[in-house]
Amino acid sequence: MKKIGIFDSCVDTPEEIILAADFVPYRFFSDPTVEIDKVNEHIPPTHCMWTRNLLEQAINGLDKDIIGIIASHGCDRTNREFDIWIECINLDFMFFLNTPLKNDETALKFFINDMKELIFQMEEYFNLKITPANIKEAIRKMNQIRSFLKEISEYRSKMILKGSEFHALVKYAQTQDKDEVLEKLSSKLEELKNKKPFSNDDLKKILLTGSDIDDTELIKYLESLGFHVIIDDLGVGTRYFWNRVDENDEPIRALAKYHLNKPIYSTKFPSYKRFEVLKNLIENYNVEGVINIAQKFCEPVLYDHPYLSKKMKELGIPYLFIEVTYNRESYKQLSTRFSAFAEIISR
Amino acid sequence: MSEKKTKKTGKMLNATYGLKNIMGRHFLAIEQAFREGKPTAWATSGSPVEYLYVMGVQPMLPENSATVAAAQKYSKNFIEIAEDEGYSYDLCSYFKTNVGAVVSKAEMSKGGTRKPTFMLSTDVICDTHVNWFQVQAERFNVPHFTLDIPHVVSNTNKRQYDYFKKYVQEQLHGLVDFIQEVTGNEYKEEKAKEVINNSWDLSMVWQDIYNLRKEIPCPISTRDTFGGLFPLFCMPGLKEPIKLYKRMYKEAKQRVDNGIGALKQEKYRLMFEGIPFWHSLKFFSVLEQWGAIIVYEPYTYAFSKYMNPNVTKEYLLSNPIDAMSELLLSFWYVYDLKTRIKKFAETVEQWNIDGVILHENLSCRPNSCGLYDLKRHLMDDFNIPCLIISGDMNDPRKFNDLQVTNQIESFMEILEKSKKR
């Protein structure tokens, strides 16, 4: 099946529109094993490691089924680098979706217009029809996926499902054919219902926040040090499925409202409200510590860190802030800090 | 860098010295408003500061204050204070200078500022502006209004542009309501006309000055434009800076009429892309040692804002919100890559430019983004010699004097060869 690539630092792209056009939404993820080379001719090394990695992969060659790309306004990176993608990638269908910074009536109206433009351009370029009925059907399908993921996510706090396993599952959901995703999630749920909790004596139950961490190996590494990601507020995590799209509303409007009302991320205004999201998760999931991981040069997360640090202190919850480079070897260099944090939680 | 090399050779316009008084009055107006409890606002560059003047709010631009701190060598200390608060080494040095200045309660003359009644930001230039004011609005516990400006990219079409504009218009109406709610002051059309007239005139004189820079020898150097820029940020709407700019123009015109350049011997005409290194302005004197003069900086030109041919003075006066929306979407400083390349090539031709120096600003990533592609296109498609130097607008720790000087030396040799061809 043909795919539409998604360049998005904030899971703001309405996958339902892509599904309604009968394409597979395929979110780009980075790969720390990729050697960075060609991108150095386009983006300085002091810019976001994650987007540099994505562009490197894209220059090296996209999946042959990808026939177009949608980028969403997440941060300054997606904004500014979109034009460079146009320069480097040989695809005719490239759309920049200006997802609003704010959440109010004016922003909602604008977002609806921008989605309508996306539909118009897709219809025109691919010579197809994206009908409200098709979008509604896609919304139902995506809501089903969201429900499954939400239910499966709870098995993390039941100490039945590992955080890394769940993380890989969310990535799978964001890249594969949605019917296959539904099938896989359904069988996973059945499997989990019959599974017994693993021993949790020494595991430190943490909430993972920060940049949209997409390397499952990093979560596995945390697990190897005795941490268990019980909950998160990431795009490769709960932000992808926490809310549902209203199936009774006009579909484009419902999609716009859904995206504007998702748990807030550091790229949106006012981002300090992200603390409220984290606070609720901390209280509802008996979190023992918060790990905030920023990809190197991830500015929105770097701006939020001192505020979050202050608020977590007020809340009396152990908090660790870590900057990581996109290199698995570098994870190991952080072991002392992680171990010290585990000690703090144990006290 | 040796003493000999930093010797100043360029001549600043006498009129430019008047800038000190104008800026002094601006800071005084802030102090006065603060003391008298009149409404004040912080605004990010690129914000429609005119609205503040129209509604009786005294603007303050912390970015300008940050440059004041850097030029006086205080920025490093302020930046380190911000880093002690947990703000990363990699974040915007303007932002960190402002945080440090606020935390240490710095005087205005050293880059400090005052607690505002409210804050006005926009993401037209960068998301950092919004993040910055969010941090500081939380610190001061003051209201914060932000304008979300859709990002125009290389393939944005006319239909999109139209609904982008509508979105900005609605937010500008929202801004007027917000200011009225916070200050109780109303938007008055008569006052709006006066402010817009002044803002327009200020920009037009600035553009006239810029046009004189096309002359050979160029009558004006960065000594006049880097400082001369500030009224465009802080005082668009007031009469005083117009008088100053007119004096600058008159003097520069006299130089042109008499064949006098800002440099004794002008050998190379350059363009400088990016924010200057406010902490190391002597770099620009180094260029002069080579007979090189910067005759165009997109940064200082962009803020004369009225460059969109669709936005006439009549349009502005008859429909200010509509016209302002158009301007916010077509700001020189944030042109999409394709337009940026085209505009650079045109500018090089119109201003008779021999080479372009591009500042890869380590803490202003939005500005540095696209620089490599821009350079490649200018060199390959238009045969324009280009040099990228890396540094930082406000953080002297990220500026390597020796390395930059060596790069400049090599670049001058390239320019020399290119001239002989």
Side-chain angles (χ1 to χ4, degrees):
Chain A
M1 273 184 89
K2 297 295 178 200
K3 300 172 183 173
I4 297 288
I6 296 173
F7 173 32
D8 188 347
S9 56
C10 198
V11 285
D12 281 338
T13 309
E15 291 180 275
E16 287 85 346
I17 291 174
I18 301 170
L19 290 172
D22 215 16
F23 298 135
V24 174
Y26 182 90
R27 186 176 179 202
F28 294 128
F29 286 121
S30 63
D31 176 358
T33 63
V34 165
E35 194 187 330
I36 297 300
D37 174 28
K38 298 183 187 78
V39 77
N40 289 327
E41 291 172 24
H42 302 278
I43 303 175
T46 51
H47 289 211
C48 173
M49 298 280 140
W50 184 72
T51 56
R52 272 165 52 84
N53 189 295
L54 297 188
L55 184 59
E56 181 74 36
Q57 290 184 65
I59 296 171
N60 287 340
L62 290 169
D63 180 322
K64 63 177 174 25
D65 289 329
I66 292 176
I67 51 169
I69 290 174
I70 299 172
S72 288
H73 173 189
C75 53
D76 275 331
R77 304 277 35 94
T78 46
N79 281 357
R80 301 289 183 138
E81 291 174 14
F82 179 74
D83 279 342
I84 301 175
W85 279 64
I86 291 181
E87 276 274 304
C88 300
I89 309 302
N90 191 22
L91 278 177
D92 287 335
F93 186 80
M94 303 277 281
F95 188 87
F96 186 81
L97 187 72
N98 266 293
T99 51
L101 189 68
K102 301 187 282 185
N103 179 7
D104 57 25
E105 270 305 308
T106 313
L108 178 67
K109 256 199 292 185
F110 169 74
F111 199 19
I112 290 170
N113 279 332
D114 218 24
M115 283 197 203
K116 285 182 177 167
E117 175 66 25
L118 169 64
I119 292 171
F120 179 83
Q121 289 196 23
M122 283 180 79
E123 286 183 332
E124 201 173 52
Y125 183 79
F126 296 112
N127 192 25
L128 46 81
K129 245 0 233 170
I130 298 174
T131 65
N134 289 347
I135 300 174
K136 278 206 163 198
E137 193 190 320
I139 287 173
R140 274 194 293 275
K141 191 179 282 182
M142 285 304 298
N143 273 347
Q144 227 180 325
I145 289 174
R146 290 181 184 108
S147 298
F148 272 137
L149 283 171
K150 199 164 182 182
E151 207 177 332
I152 292 170
S153 169
E154 295 301 310
Y155 283 88
R156 291 188 287 180
S157 56
K158 290 174 187 164
M159 310 303 277
I160 290 174
L161 179 67
K162 280 187 173 180
S164 58
E165 212 183 327
F166 182 69
H167 186 264
L169 212 52
V170 180
K171 278 180 79 174
Y172 180 87
Q174 294 182 12
T175 50
Q176 302 302 312
D177 174 78
K178 300 299 182 197
D179 290 320
E180 287 173 24
V181 171
L182 272 173
E183 215 172 293
K184 182 160 181 162
L185 295 181
S186 164
S187 67
K188 187 73 199 175
L189 196 55
E190 285 312 307
E191 177 199 319
L192 291 168
K193 281 176 186 167
N194 300 314
K195 257 183 131 178
K196 288 201 166 63
F198 41 78
S199 157
N200 64 356
D201 291 350
D202 296 322
L203 291 177
K204 314 287 178 289
K205 295 168 195 158
I206 59 151
L207 182 158
L208 187 62
T209 184
S211 307
D212 227 3
I213 300 299
D214 63 0
D215 184 19
T216 306
E217 289 304 311
L218 179 54
I219 319 279
K220 283 185 185 165
Y221 182 64
L222 287 174
E223 286 167 353
S224 75
L225 297 172
F227 294 102
H228 173 56
V229 179
I230 201 162
I231 194 73
D232 67 81
D233 79 332
L234 305 178
V236 192
T238 58
R239 289 192 72 246
Y240 184 62
F241 55 78
W242 208 247
N243 296 356
R244 285 170 65 86
V245 182
D246 183 352
E247 294 180 17
N248 299 316
D249 201 347
E250 188 281 317
I252 309 285
R253 187 181 161 80
L255 282 174
K257 279 170 87 172
Y258 162 78
H259 282 288
L260 294 183
N261 289 303
K262 290 197 306 279
I264 197 161
Y265 188 54
S266 295
T267 52
K268 299 296 174 194
F269 178 81
S271 70
Y272 56 79
K273 282 193 177 169
R274 192 172 183 184
F275 170 70
E276 296 302 322
V277 175
L278 296 176
K279 187 170 172 265
N280 283 335
L281 294 174
I282 290 165
E283 286 166 0
N284 293 335
Y285 287 87
N286 296 318
V287 168
E288 293 173 333
V290 174
I291 297 183
N292 182 0
I293 300 182
Q295 307 275 20
K296 188 75 183 160
F297 308 121
C298 178
E299 293 186 356
V301 171
L302 294 177
Y303 277 107
D304 278 352
H305 152 61
Y307 177 76
L308 288 181
S309 175
K310 182 181 88 177
K311 299 302 278 185
M312 294 300 171
K313 204 171 180 183
E314 284 169 16
L315 206 61
I317 186 104
Y319 170 84
L320 175 69
F321 176 72
I322 292 276
E323 269 187 276
V324 293
T325 53
Y326 233 78
N327 174 342
R328 283 184 186 151
E329 283 306 304
S330 72
Y331 301 164
K332 291 172 194 159
Q333 291 163 12
L334 299 168
S335 68
T336 316
R337 293 193 61 199
F338 283 127
S339 303
F341 187 61
E343 281 290 312
I344 291 169
I345 292 178
S346 302
R347 274 177 216 152
Chain B
M1 204 179 289
S2 70
E3 264 310 296
K4 193 174 166 241
K5 279 191 176 173
T6 54
K7 193 179 73 182
K8 293 174 184 174
T9 65
K11 263 194 305 188
M12 190 161 94
L13 295 170
N14 286 325
T16 306
Y17 289 101
L19 185 73
K20 208 175 169 187
N21 289 339
I22 292 271
M23 289 311 290
R25 260 181 268 167
H26 172 65
F27 289 138
L28 207 62
I30 294 170
E31 288 286 16
Q32 203 172 340
F34 185 70
R35 268 202 311 270
E36 293 172 5
K38 288 183 179 161
T40 55
W42 280 17
T44 52
S45 61
S47 306
V49 172
E50 288 83 354
Y51 282 81
L52 301 176
Y53 280 116
V54 169
M55 298 187 72
V57 179
Q58 174 59 48
M60 298 184 252
L61 278 89
E63 264 160 286
N64 289 158
S65 303
T67 67
V68 169
Q72 296 186 79
K73 315 292 178 205
Y74 296 118
S75 62
K76 179 174 169 280
N77 180 35
F78 291 151
I79 287 168
E80 285 171 351
I81 291 171
E83 287 171 359
D84 284 345
E85 278 213 341
Y87 293 104
S88 166
Y89 179 80
D90 298 314
L91 285 176
C92 170
S93 55
Y94 276 168
F95 159 73
K96 286 188 288 181
T97 302
N98 176 249
V99 167
V102 167
V103 169
S104 59
K105 297 187 170 59
E107 293 164 29
M108 297 241 298
S109 60
K110 293 180 177 170
T113 183
R114 292 286 169 260
K115 179 183 172 179
T117 314
F118 67 90
M119 295 198 184
L120 166 63
S121 69
T122 159
D123 58 357
V124 65
I125 293 178
C126 59
D127 289 349
T128 283
H129 277 154
V130 179
N131 287 313
W132 170 353
F133 276 26
Q134 222 173 244
V135 166
Q136 298 293 56
E138 198 272 331
R139 186 190 302 275
F140 285 127
N141 191 23
V142 296
H144 175 194
F145 188 93
T146 195
L147 287 163
D148 179 23
I149 310 299
H151 198 62
V152 175
V153 292
S154 290
N155 62 5
T156 300
N157 63 36
K158 170 78 171 64
R159 198 174 44 245
Q160 286 173 286
Y161 196 85
D162 287 345
Y163 67 77
F164 286 9
K165 197 170 142 185
K166 211 167 167 214
Y167 178 43
V168 180
Q169 280 170 15
E170 286 184 21
Q171 291 182 78
L172 287 174
H173 283 294
L175 171 64
V176 170
D177 293 344
F178 169 84
I179 298 176
Q180 187 168 348
E181 198 184 310
V182 174
T183 66
N185 294 354
E186 284 179 9
Y187 181 92
K188 290 184 179 142
E189 272 190 29
E190 274 314 300
K191 181 71 182 166
K193 281 192 174 134
E194 179 198 323
V195 168
I196 288 165
N197 250 313
N198 287 339
S199 172
W200 174 272
D201 289 350
L202 184 71
S203 293
M204 289 306 124
V205 188
W206 188 252
Q207 289 182 23
D208 288 343
I209 293 172
Y210 243 85
N211 280 324
L212 290 178
R213 299 180 91 187
K214 288 177 181 167
E215 301 290 339
I216 301 173
C218 177
I220 293 165
S221 72
T222 53
R223 292 176 205 289
D224 302 295
T225 53
F226 284 164
L229 162 79
F230 293 124
L232 290 170
F233 282 97
C234 317
M235 291 177 263
L238 301 187
K239 274 218 179 302
E240 291 86 347
I242 305 172
K243 289 181 201 156
L244 171 78
Y245 281 9
K246 281 186 174 167
R247 285 199 298 275
M248 285 172 74
Y249 174 82
K250 198 175 159 193
E251 197 182 335
K253 182 73 172 56
Q254 278 169 359
R255 282 189 182 178
V256 169
D257 292 344
N258 292 299
I260 299 168
L263 287 193
K264 268 184 194 159
Q265 265 197 319
E266 178 179 304
K267 205 169 169 192
Y268 310 114
R269 296 168 63 83
L270 304 176
M271 182 175 181
F272 182 82
E273 162 64 346
I275 307 175
F277 336 99
W278 298 107
H279 47 81
S280 302
L281 290 170
K282 65 181 178 185
F283 158 80
F284 299 95
S285 304
V286 173
L287 288 175
E288 291 172 354
Q289 306 291 313
W290 296 88
I293 182 163
I294 289 166
V295 299
Y296 193 103
E297 312 95 35
Y299 178 69
T300 59
Y301 194 48
F303 287 96
S304 67
K305 92 170 50 157
Y306 305 111
M307 278 170 295
N308 182 334
N310 297 330
V311 180
T312 60
K313 190 173 183 178
E314 291 66 38
Y315 178 25
L316 261 167
L317 289 170
S318 61
N319 203 339
I321 286 196
D322 202 56
M324 188 58 81
S325 311
E326 180 99 24
L327 289 170
L328 282 164
L329 286 167
S330 56
F331 187 36
W332 197 153
Y333 201 54
V334 290
Y335 279 162
D336 63 86
L337 185 57
K338 213 162 102 186
T339 312
R340 200 175 175 197
I341 293 163
K342 187 171 162 270
K343 187 80 183 163
F344 265 71
E346 284 170 7
T347 303
V348 163
E349 197 168 323
Q350 289 167 5
W351 269 262
N352 281 296
I353 287 166
D354 301 308
V356 179
I357 296 177
L358 305 124
H359 177 199
E360 184 186 325
N361 194 333
L362 293 173
S363 78
C364 184
R365 292 177 186 84
N367 189 230
S368 303
C369 200
L371 225 53
Y372 293 3
D373 291 278
L374 174 65
K375 180 193 172 197
R376 195 181 56 255
H377 278 284
L378 292 176
M379 291 182 79
D380 295 353
D381 306 345
F382 302 98
N383 205 22
I384 300 164
C386 292
L387 170 72
I388 291 185
I389 50 177
S390 79
D392 190 285
M393 59 213 174
N394 247 40
D395 191 343
R397 300 171 306 175
K398 296 179 185 171
F399 185 78
N400 187 330
D401 246 354
L402 190 64
Q403 187 186 324
V404 170
T405 307
N406 289 341
Q407 282 178 295
I408 292 292
E409 280 184 16
S410 308
F411 188 55
M412 292 302 153
E413 283 167 22
I414 291 168
L415 290 180
E416 178 68 31
K417 281 180 194 158
S418 146
K419 278 226 160 191
K420 278 180 185 163
R421 260 180 236 144

